[in-house]
Amino acid sequence: MALASEIFKLNTHELPRRAGEMKEYQLDLKVIEKVGVELIAIPAGEIIEVDARLEAVTQGVLLTAQIYATAFGECIRCLDPVKVEIDRPIQELYFYESKPERGARRKKVIEKNEDDLDSDDELHMDGDIMDLGIPIRDAIVLALPINPLCSPECAGLCQECGEKWASLIPDHVHEVIDARWARLSDLAVASEIDPDFRN
């Protein structure tokens, strides 16, 4: 069984490593685990469509793509099903994998500039492989509503009976009796049944 991250890996061996070369891909990625946030996400088994164009540049490969998918969740007010269509562009530069110089020992010396905060966000090729997971997940999460609603006018549920306000009559109310006075209502009922109750 493939790992969830494997479905996002794209082999670019067909793209020549000469600046200006270009290749287009149409991908249907069947997700193995949900992609999104807790309240709304693309469930496992659904397809993420990616129309991608790869361009070889001096430093690496420039990815330009359009993402299409459908996310499912629940309305935060009434708990009805919510469906969101995602149509979002992404563009990322993947840097070529650095190779050791000929004759040099296979030892990597990494110099990090503490002031360069962007270096941690750079995407790198793994040989011919591009991992599309990070930009696709980021694009999907940014496209999803923080608080999904079935409609902006949704009034939610009645706190007493749990029914949807939209399906209840306009003057729907529940009689609320203060617990501190509940014993008095028992006394009133008893006095109606037995006239001598107070004596």
Side-chain angles (χ1 to χ4, degrees):
M1 183 175 177
L3 298 175
S5 60
E6 292 295 317
I7 65 163
F8 295 106
K9 293 187 176 177
L10 175 62
N11 193 332
T12 67
H13 71 279
E14 296 177 347
L15 178 69
R17 295 297 188 256
R18 294 187 301 272
E21 294 286 348
M22 184 187 74
K23 185 158 182 63
E24 294 184 343
Y25 296 84
Q26 289 185 327
L27 309 172
D28 288 336
L29 309 177
K30 186 174 182 180
V31 296
I32 297 174
E33 56 188 31
K34 73 175 187 177
V35 178
V37 294
E38 189 64 32
L39 295 174
I40 187 165
I42 299 166
E46 289 293 314
I47 300 293
I48 299 174
E49 296 179 33
V50 182
D51 290 344
R53 186 180 71 220
L54 303 184
E55 297 175 75
V57 296
T58 306
Q59 306 97 326
V61 177
L62 179 66
L63 164 72
T64 305
Q66 197 73 23
I67 298 170
Y68 308 95
T70 304
F72 299 88
E74 287 184 344
C75 175
I76 61 167
R77 293 180 185 166
C78 69
L79 306 182
D80 272 2
V82 173
K83 183 168 76 170
V84 174
E85 299 294 337
I86 298 170
D87 180 355
R88 193 172 179 91
I90 59 173
Q91 188 171 63
E92 295 286 348
L93 175 62
Y94 284 74
F95 290 92
Y96 289 132
E97 185 179 30
S98 58
K99 297 179 180 179
E101 294 179 7
R102 177 177 278 183
R105 293 182 179 177
R106 300 184 65 82
K107 178 181 178 183
K108 290 185 179 179
V109 178
I110 302 173
E111 296 179 358
K112 286 191 176 180
N113 185 345
E114 294 179 359
D115 297 329
D116 187 8
L117 299 177
D118 294 334
S119 61
D120 292 336
D121 297 329
E122 291 177 354
L123 298 172
H124 292 267
M125 305 279 291
D126 183 7
D128 289 331
I129 305 298
M130 296 176 70
D131 188 350
L132 308 179
I134 292 175
I136 288 177
R137 286 191 180 95
D138 287 351
I140 289 170
V141 170
L142 290 173
L144 295 175
I146 298 173
N147 297 314
L149 295 173
C150 60
S151 76
E153 297 79 24
C154 179
L157 305 175
C158 173
Q159 294 180 348
E160 297 297 325
C161 64
E163 293 294 323
K164 288 181 63 175
W165 280 110
S167 62
L168 296 172
I169 58 175
D171 57 349
H172 173 77
V173 293
H174 292 273
E175 184 180 359
V176 180
I177 300 175
D178 192 320
R180 295 171 294 183
W181 304 106
R183 292 292 299 226
L184 292 180
S185 64
D186 294 339
L187 292 175
V189 171
S191 64
E192 292 174 3
I193 296 173
D194 184 4
D196 299 325
F197 176 76
R198 298 180 185 176
N199 297 332

